[in-house]
Structures are given as structure tokens and as C-alpha cells.
């Protein structure tokens, strides 16, 4: 007995002894009511000090694994391990799982994509470049806030969100021209949770349908499908959705809502023009269709005029549900998004949020708030925009140099969208390029109707300059070869 | 013009000027292509330095609100505000909202409870006392981790969870006697999200039903109802669920799964005895019913033997889905929970997690991991248990002194459960006590069958000693008066 004990250097000795004895009890090598060796004896056997064993025994007693008998010594507690006593049985989970879970795996692109090791040049990410993050200001925000609020920051908060952050973001949205009267805000764990919560409030028992741009954000397509929505995608042109087509599909059936990404659209990078925004909202008003506006990329404007969000152009109307996030600029690892909408609607969404996840991390919200409050956003945006703009222009230049494209779009943000001749297949291109160490996102996943096999998305934010040119040269050469 | 500008002390002057001008543009007081005053002129008018105005103009240009004409000056950008141009329309959200959203509000006790101001003695919370939190160690964990990982900590992570935390928690569960073979782990944003995700994978189109203890955790009842489950509650006795009754209901119909809280049960505080745990698992095995085990309070044992979780007693079997959380001991504001279960099942749950909220806050996970890794849990538990045990005993003593109860239960944790004579109504008691400045949670909300009107839950973790005795004296006197 006790001969397998191996001393490691990186943990206090008493913890190692305690864990070792626990393991023996759990696997039954030490039985209930068995007397343990004296502390002196075990110390000698394990080659640790007697004091170490005394501390380990005390902790085991504290944890209910050991009891002591006055004057006699320490014993293994009776009820410790149950392992092996109750019958072990198996469930065939494949047969218990429902269609929703199955579809969630099927639509989970992260599980079906090509895995890239570090040597691969990958254009698949549209996450911000963490090298730009100003960690010192994040640290300061954390320490400032914890000094002010103390332990409250680590205790339960409110489903609706962290009050100082809500106040800040309401002002922030007001500055974008939003009329806040009759509106309220819910903080969520990012855009995706916001979208999922809103869908679960607005879907009906059956016959659910939605209008959106085609192509559009894959996570939105996925969640709409998972929630049983029919998706009507309206094609895009240079300055946004094609209006005539939008008008046509609006007369065809009714829709639960429309979902639009008016600024730096994912995946095309298109900014819907101010005139088109107005026209879209006029059509929505005529058909009384609620609009979900995805403002995910709004902060990443490199040039051109400021464009107001749809919710601003809706004035006092309550029909637009705006979903915001700083995940493409600031810190996606802090899971914070917000929904700005009619106050009655927010009241429902708040209860759904509470039912599903109680509330969004108080720490994330508080650190983000203090970071914003300390005035870091403007400074950071200036730096980030400058760097991303440079990269954007470099990527565009390389695309124009190397790629045999038909159309190249992207007015800002962290990605460009490339369309080849309709007959070209970017999935085949990906297989070829991948064997040469370059990967990208084939465009078909963003299409609502199975189209887009001739397109691809290039995320450039995390690719070093020399790899951008090298990667695009390889993609270009391979594409030309495939085109024959 | 410009006469409403009011200078505040707490913000840099250029930001105030910039914000002020933005507001004027958004509400249309400054029109597109209108020339702005020279920087000198505006500085004089607003009583700020000319440099302040120069900086404000530069930022407005950067943000796309202003353009400059060489040699002429600064102008308001054309497309800035759309407000008021598109027609504003209203949606009647009440008619768009579905039954799920409506029920979420109905079942949202936070919206229907009695609001307590600071002078009220409130026994409603079972959150930990934040005064016990060792903030210095949390700060150290944060700084340690950010020093090691840098910006990666603030960028996107993995749906499955933060790898070092998963590794740590797998070991932690192994030490509780769990056979990890064939099992895997998913990190969630707390227990509630874990439960919601598992339910959405296991519910069928119709005819969903579940067995649980009666009474049980309210958030579980709420989410089961929201997801259309029939709930069969099995009454409790001193050492856990009544086995004969469990056996009876098992023969009556089939169940999607069972939901149990074997340790420091909410709301009764009962610890299911080792023998009963075995017997329960034997019955579950016989009927091949999956078990969701809620380990939420497991760490708060003050006395008695260590008791293994059900998933440990299931050995190599894959039928138990264990949901863990430190929210009742450590920091509920960090929204972190975990699901330990069959690896094939976890694979499905991971995709659902990704679809719903991408991943749990990396910051929360990393801070929690480093806090645990630095060896703080054991130290903190020792301190917390000592303090909560003292409070638990004091509360129990006061209950015994003042309350005319029939049954008092609670073997640990942060609450006690009181049952009066069956004919007594604690909702009436609450109304009376509330007018005397004392509130608690009436027990009926925890019952699956409309029962429990004679019971109440007392959370003591955040009530000062003198208020515990004062509050319980008032509850006792009022109860006796009502009993006549």
C-alpha cells in the first residue's frame, strides 16, 4: 500500500497527499471504516513531513472523507464512494436526441470546415486582430471598476443588464440619431444570443418566414433554419438590396420580420446607401413588417460619410429592433451585445433572457463599461481603423492584382467578397488551395437559396501583409489554372 | 445658434463640443452642406479654446459627419441624418409576440415579487455573500492570466469552453469519484443555460415529461414549463425523495429524463442519503431513464460525511448528465457552469451552444480557471463554510426559538425550508410580514403540483445576524397571530 505515491514539485505537499488518499478511497483501495496509518507512519512511507500528513488528514476530515476517534486515530468515512455499487447503465443518446440537435450539428460549420494549422494562410476569420487591443486600458478598466464596486461585481446582476452600461449605450445610440422615446435596451451575451432570443419570441407555431439580404450572415441563416423559418433572400447590388426584387417578394406572402445588415454587410461588405435605406424603410412601413437591424460592423467605416442606422431613420416608430455589438472592433471574448427596441417588446425579451441564462456576465459588462467610460473607444477606433484600412486597401490591391474575379465588393469592415464567373466553383478552388496551404470561406454558405458557389469571402484582419499577397497570389494562380 | 452649449467638468472639452455638434446635425439644426463657423469663431462662442474646436472638427471629419473644402472650411456631411425622412410606423408587438414570450413573463417571478428597499429584512436571496469574496485573489488571477495570454483572452474562444478550465474541472470531477471514460465536458453560461440547452436537445415534438423532486428549483420548473414538459413531482422525506412513490410513477408513463438535486436540495436543503442515491439509480437503470443531476450546492457541506454525486455512482454508465456551477460558493457574476456527460451527447450540446451564444465569456472562464489554479478554492471554501455554517446554525436556532413550524429542513447550503400546518397560508403571512419590513420566499412556487402553500424558504447568506433574529421573531409572531 501507498507505494504508488509520486511527489510532484508544482503543488503543496499536503494537497498531493490529500488527493492521493482521496483517490484510494474513491476506487475502493481504502475501505469505509478502515483505520488510516498514524501521521508519523504515513509520513515515513510517503517521504513527506509528519506535519504534511497532519494537514492532509485535517482537510480530509473537513471534506467529510475521514472521521477521527478520540485517542484512536483517523478512519475512512463510511459513505464516501458509491462507485460500482449502483448498477451502471447506458443510454443510446443517438435515439434520444431530437431533430433540432441533429440539425445544429449538421449546420455547425466549425465542425465541418477545413482545420488549419499555424503554417496555413487563413482568410477565414473576421475576428479583430488581438495584437491591436490596448491591454493596459482593459486592465485599468478592470481595476478601476473593482475598486469602485468591490464584490458586487462578482455577484448576481440583473437580466436586463448592468445599469451603467445600459445608460452609456443608450447615449451612444442617441448620438447615432436614434429617437429613444418609447424604447428600451436589453444586454445580451453577444449578437447571436440577442438574435436567438428575439426569434424565440416572434416565431409562431408554424408558417414562419423571414426576408433578408442574399447572401447574408451565416449564424443568422443557421438559427433561422434551426427555428423553422422559411428564408426569402433578396439579391444585392452595389449599393444594397435590389429594391424591385424586395418589392416583389413583399407582395408574395407575409413575413414575421425582415433581417438586414445595412452597414459593411456580411459577407459582401456592402454599405447600403442612404437613399436605399429610406426606400427600404418605406416598403417595410407599407407592409408593416418589423425589421431586425444587425449593426455588428457599423464602427468600422474607413471612408465616406457617416450613415445613420435604420432605427434612426424610423424616428419615433417602434418597428426596428436594433442589435449592436462591439465584437468586430473591441473584444469578442467579452460576450456583450445589446438590443434596442420598443420598451414593451424589451420587457418580454428580458424575461426570456432571465429564463435562459439569468444575465450576461457582470464582469464582462462592467469591464466594457469602464473601458468605454474611460474614453478608450474613440482612441482605439482611430488606431484600429487606420490599421484595418491599410490592410483593407492592401488586400483590395492584391485581389485586383492576382484574382480573375468578376466582382469585388467590400466598403469597409474586416473582409472582402469576391465573385468569379457564375460557372466557377470555389469549393473546388478551396480544395486545391488548401493543399497549397491557403484557405478562405467559400461563399455558398452565406446564400439562402443554394447559390453563391462562384463566390468567396476573404477575412484579412488577422493575416500579416506578406501572407495576404502570398495567399492571394496562390488563390489567383490556382483559380486561373482551374478556369483553364 | 450655439447658445445651448453647457460645459461640464467631467469630460474632455473637445468631446463635449463634438457631441454637441453631432446632436445639432442629427436633429437637423445643422443641415447637410451647411458651412460650420471657423474654429476661432466657434471657440469664442462656446468659450472654449480654439484647439478644442480644431480637435472636435477633426474627429467629426474622421467620423464622417463633416467634410472640409481646401481653403474654405468645414461643412456638414450630406448623408448624416435620415431621421424624419423615412415614414415612421408602429408595430403592435402584443399581437406579434408568441405564447412562449408571454409565458416567460408570466413565470418571471422577479417581475411579480415584492420589491424590497434597503431597510427591509429580506430572506429571499440564496446568493453568496459578496463580503466574503477574496477580491485580491480575483485581481491576481485576472492579472496573472492576462500577463500570460495577452489579447487572446479578449478574442473569440471555443464553443466547448476554455481548454485549461475544462482540464481543471475534469480533474475536479474525477476527484469526486467520477469515471471519466467516454465522458466529455461543455462549459456554459451557468447552470440555467446548461439546463436550457440540454432540454432543447432532448424534448420531442409532443408528449414531453419529466420526473423530479417535489418541491424543486424554480428556474427548472419554469424552463420545463416553457418547453412544454409535463412535470411529475415526487414528494420528499427527511433523507430524499420517497422511493415507493418514485417507483409508482415510473410505471405510469415514460419520461424524457429525471431531474434531481441530490445535495443541499433547493428549496428543502435536504441531502439525499447514500443508500437512497443507490436505490434511485437502481430504479433509473431498470427503467433506462437519463438523469440530469444538479450539483449546484455540492460544495457547501458543513458537517456529515462526504457524499458522492450520482454521476460517480453510475460508474462507467453514460446515463447521468451532471451540471455543475460554483455560483453558490464563488462568483455568480462570472457566468460559468459545466455539463459533464456522455461524449457523444456533449458533441450535440456543443453545436447547440455555438448556435445560441457562440461561447461563454473567455474572460470569465480564464479568471475562474486562474483563481482555481492558484489554489484559492480550498482556502476560500474553508472560510466560507465556517461563516455560512455559523449563520446556518444561528438561523436554525432562531427558527426553533420563534417559528411555530411543523417541519424544518436544511442540511447545509445557504437556506432553510420551513413547513407549517397544512392549513396555513404563507402567501398571507408574507403580506403581513412585508408590511412589518420582513420578506421571504413563499414555498408554493417550488411545487410542481400547486401544493406547498404552507411552506417557505429562508435564504440567510446575505442577512446580518441581528436581522436574522429580528426578522424571524417578526415572522414567528405574525404566524402565531394568523394561526389565532
Amino acid at each position: 500500500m501507498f507505494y504508488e505515491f509520486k511527489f510532484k514539485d508544482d503543488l503543496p505537499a499536503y494537497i498531493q497527499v490529500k488527493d492521493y488518499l482521496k483517490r484510494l478511497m474513491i476506487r475502493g483501495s481504502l475501505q469505509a471504516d478502515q483505520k488510516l496509518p498514524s501521521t508519523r507512519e504515513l509520513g515515513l512511507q510517503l517521504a513527506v513531513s509528519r506535519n504534511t500528513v497532519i494537514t492532509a488528514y485535517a482537510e480530509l476530515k473537513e471534506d467529510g472523507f475521514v472521521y477521527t476517534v478520540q485517542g484512536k486515530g483517523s478512519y475512512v468515512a463510511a459513505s464516501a464512494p458509491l462507485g460500482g455499487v449502483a448498477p451502471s447503465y447506458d443510454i443510446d443518446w443517438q435515439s434520444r436526441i431530437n431533430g433540432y440537435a441533429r440539425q445544429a450539428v449538421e449546420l455547425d460549420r466549425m465542425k465541418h470546415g477545413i482545420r488549419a494549422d499555424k503554417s496555413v494562410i487563413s482568410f477565414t476569420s473576421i475576428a479583430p486582430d488581438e495584437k491591436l487591443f490596448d491591454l493596459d486600458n482593459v486592465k485599468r478598466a478592470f481595476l478601476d471598476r473593482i475598486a469602485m464596486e468591490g464584490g458586487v461585481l462578482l455577484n448576481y446582476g440583473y437580466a436586463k443588464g448592468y445599469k451603467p452600461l445600459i445608460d452609456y449605450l443608450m447615449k451612444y445610440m442617441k448620438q447615432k440619431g436614434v429617437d429613444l422615446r418609447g424604447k428600451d435596451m436589453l444586454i445580451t451575451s453577444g449578437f447571436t444570443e440577442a438574435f436567438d432570443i428575439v426569434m424565440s419570441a416572434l416565431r409562431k407555431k408554424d408558417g414562419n418566414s423571414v426576408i433578408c439580404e442574399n447572401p447574408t450572415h451565416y449564424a443568422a441563416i443557421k438559427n433561422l433554419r434551426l427555428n423553422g423559418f422559411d428564408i426569402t433572400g433578396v439579391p444585392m447590388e452595389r449599393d444594397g438590396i435590389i429594391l424591385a426584387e424586395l418589392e416583389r417578394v413583399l407582395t408574395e406572402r407575409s413575413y414575421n420580420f425582415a433581417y438586414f445588415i445595412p452597414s459593411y454587410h456580411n459577407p459582401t461588405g456592402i454599405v447600403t446607401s442612404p437613399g436605399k435605406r429610406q426606400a427600404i424603410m418605406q416598403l417595410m412601413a407599407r407592409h408593416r413588417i418589423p425589421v431586425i437591424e444587425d449593426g455588428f460592423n457599423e464602427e468600422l467605416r474607413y471612408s465616406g460619410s457617416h450613415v445613420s442606422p435604420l432605427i434612426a431613420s424610423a424616428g419615433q416608430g417602434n418597428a426596428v429592433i436594433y442589435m449592436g455589438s462591439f465584437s468586430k472592433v473591441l473584444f469578442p471574448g467579452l460576450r456583450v451585445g445589446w438590443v434596442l427596441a420598443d420598451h414593451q417588446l424589451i420587457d418580454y425579451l428580458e424575461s426570456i433572457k432571465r429564463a435562459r441564462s439569468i444575465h450576461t456576465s457582470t464582469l464582462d459588462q462592467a469591464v466594457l463599461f469602464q473601458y468605454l467610460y474611460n474614453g478608450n473607444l474613440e482612441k482605439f477606433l482611430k488606431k484600429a481603423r487606420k490599421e484595418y484600412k491599410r490592410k483593407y486597401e492592401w488586400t483590395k490591391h492584391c485581389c485586383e492584382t492576382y484574382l480573375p474575379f468578376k466582382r469585388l465588393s467590400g466598403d469597409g469592415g474586416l473582409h472582402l467578397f469576391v465573385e468569379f464567373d457564375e460557372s466557377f466553383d470555389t469549393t473546388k478552388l478551396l480544395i486545391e488551395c488548401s493543399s497549397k496551404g491557403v484557405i478562405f470561406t467559400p461563399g455558398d454558405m452565406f446564400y439562402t437559396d443554394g447559390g453563391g458557389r462562384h463566390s468567396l469571402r476573404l477575412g484579412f484582419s488577422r493575416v500579416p501583409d506578406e501572407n495576404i499577397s502570398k495567399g492571394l497570389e496562390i488563390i489567383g494562380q490556382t483559380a486561373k489554372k482551374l478556369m483553364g
Side-chain angles (χ1 to χ4, degrees), chain A:
Chain A
M1 195 107 213
F2 306 122
Y3 51 82
E4 315 150 320
F5 181 74
K6 281 194 198 76
F7 193 78
K8 286 172 246 160
D9 277 336
D10 60 342
L11 260 183
Y14 77 93
I15 292 182
Q16 296 189 48
V17 172
K18 181 183 160 188
D19 288 351
Y20 174 61
L21 293 174
K22 259 198 202 172
R23 278 202 300 278
L24 294 179
M25 292 175 204
I26 281 161
R27 72 175 194 217
S29 305
L30 285 170
Q31 295 278 328
D33 300 319
Q34 183 175 337
K35 189 171 185 302
L36 291 168
S38 74
T39 50
R40 175 187 302 271
E41 199 183 325
L42 189 63
L44 286 171
Q45 282 197 50
L46 301 182
V48 296
S49 78
R50 189 180 166 194
N51 271 336
T52 295
V53 182
I54 290 174
T55 312
Y57 278 15
E59 296 242 331
L60 285 166
K61 190 181 167 189
E62 171 88 7
D63 288 355
F65 280 93
V66 157
Y67 64 95
T68 50
V69 179
Q70 197 64 36
K72 286 200 149 180
S74 298
Y75 294 80
V76 177
S79 54
L82 278 172
V85 180
S88 119
Y89 66 111
D90 277 321
I91 295 289
D92 173 18
W93 288 110
Q94 295 293 346
S95 70
R96 303 272 180 155
I97 282 294
N98 59 20
Y100 172 82
R102 256 178 253 285
Q103 209 185 358
V105 170
E106 260 165 48
L107 297 175
D108 188 346
R109 293 287 168 146
M110 292 293 279
K111 286 197 176 149
H112 307 300
I114 293 178
R115 304 257 161 193
D117 64 47
K118 293 224 162 164
S119 70
V120 167
I121 299 175
S122 171
F123 292 103
T124 58
S125 171
I126 58 166
D129 181 1
E130 66 254 8
K131 285 186 219 76
L132 293 176
F133 294 164
D134 46 342
L135 289 184
D136 284 341
N137 289 327
V138 176
K139 272 190 245 177
R140 171 158 307 283
F142 172 84
L143 295 172
D144 281 1
R145 205 66 213 158
I146 214 157
M148 271 181 277
E149 297 233 36
V152 172
L153 219 60
L154 303 174
N155 217 328
Y156 281 113
Y158 298 98
K160 199 163 175 295
Y162 183 63
K163 185 71 167 46
L165 180 65
I166 292 178
D167 292 345
Y168 185 96
L169 291 173
M170 287 294 263
K171 261 192 216 154
Y172 182 77
M173 294 307 295
K174 194 176 174 181
Q175 291 208 355
K176 288 179 185 255
V178 180
D179 185 337
L180 295 178
R181 281 174 293 178
K183 297 195 179 70
D184 205 349
M185 188 175 280
L186 173 73
I187 303 289
T188 61
S189 303
F191 164 82
T192 307
E193 196 198 42
F195 192 68
D196 193 48
I197 287 175
V198 168
M199 258 190 318
S200 61
L202 297 184
R203 72 165 171 241
K204 306 276 163 167
K205 281 236 165 96
D206 35 43
N208 289 299
S209 59
V210 61
I211 293 189
C212 61
E213 291 128 347
N214 186 25
T216 192
H217 181 31
Y218 180 69
I221 296 181
K222 176 167 75 170
N223 279 305
L224 287 164
R225 294 227 168 103
L226 282 174
N227 282 281
F229 278 81
D230 283 343
I231 306 175
T232 300
V234 180
M236 305 277 286
E237 56 190 349
R238 190 62 203 86
D239 64 344
I241 205 163
I242 296 176
L243 284 174
E245 186 58 18
L246 177 61
E247 211 165 345
R248 194 183 64 74
V249 299
L250 279 169
T251 59
E252 275 183 346
R253 63 185 294 182
S254 68
Y255 299 92
N256 299 50
F257 55 82
Y259 166 68
F260 295 128
I261 316 172
S263 292
Y264 313 101
H265 177 261
N266 183 9
T268 67
I270 287 171
V271 175
T272 300
S273 68
K276 200 156 250 187
R277 287 177 192 230
Q278 258 183 61
I280 289 171
M281 289 311 291
Q282 271 158 5
L283 283 170
M284 293 297 120
R286 197 183 306 151
H287 294 267
R288 308 201 86 67
I289 295 184
V291 172
I292 295 182
E293 176 174 23
D294 182 348
F296 89 115
N297 240 345
E298 212 162 273
E299 275 64 30
L300 287 177
R301 195 192 46 76
Y302 307 143
S303 57
S305 291
H306 160 87
V307 183
S308 296
L310 299 176
I311 194 170
S313 71
Q316 256 205 279
N318 73 352
V320 180
I321 303 170
Y322 180 93
M323 296 182 187
S325 152
F326 290 128
S327 288
K328 294 300 172 287
V329 219
L330 295 177
F331 318 117
L334 306 185
R335 304 299 308 142
V336 180
W338 64 93
V339 187
L340 177 64
D342 176 76
H343 72 103
Q344 284 190 311
L345 179 63
I346 291 291
D347 191 55
Y348 285 107
L349 302 181
E350 180 196 350
S351 287
I352 298 177
K353 167 75 183 168
R354 183 175 282 117
R356 292 201 171 181
S357 60
I358 317 248
H359 63 75
T360 293
S361 161
T362 317
L363 184 63
D364 281 10
Q365 295 183 75
V367 169
L368 179 62
F369 162 70
Q370 191 67 36
Y371 180 89
L372 297 169
Y373 184 83
N374 287 354
N376 294 305
L377 179 64
E378 305 241 351
K379 270 182 282 172
F380 178 74
L381 269 181
K382 199 170 281 185
K383 183 175 80 172
R385 275 181 193 153
K386 197 175 152 195
E387 171 63 6
Y388 290 138
K389 185 183 180 192
R390 200 186 54 69
K391 278 203 151 170
Y392 161 79
E393 281 163 359
W394 174 239
T395 310
K396 209 171 154 189
H397 169 74
C398 292
C399 283
E400 283 158 353
T401 309
Y402 297 118
L403 300 191
F405 60 79
K406 279 262 159 173
R407 188 155 81 160
L408 179 68
S409 59
D411 300 320
L414 307 175
H415 63 275
L416 285 164
F417 194 66
V418 180
E419 289 171 78
F420 297 99
D421 189 88
E422 284 279 349
S423 63
F424 192 69
D425 183 347
T426 54
T427 309
K428 280 187 196 148
L429 178 65
L430 177 60
I431 294 169
E432 290 288 316
C433 289
S434 162
S435 71
K436 294 170 184 160
V438 184
I439 62 172
F440 53 79
T441 311
D444 60 340
M445 70 183 278
F446 303 105
Y447 279 75
T448 61
D449 55 1
R453 293 184 67 89
H454 64 300
S455 64
L456 60 86
R457 190 185 71 181
L458 295 169
F460 53 76
S461 48
R462 300 169 83 186
V463 190
D465 286 10
E466 62 278 17
N467 281 357
I468 290 178
S469 50
K470 204 172 138 194
L472 286 172
E473 192 175 355
I474 290 172
I475 296 175
Q477 283 169 349
T478 313
K480 283 171 194 159
K481 214 186 81 193
L482 282 172
M483 284 171 182

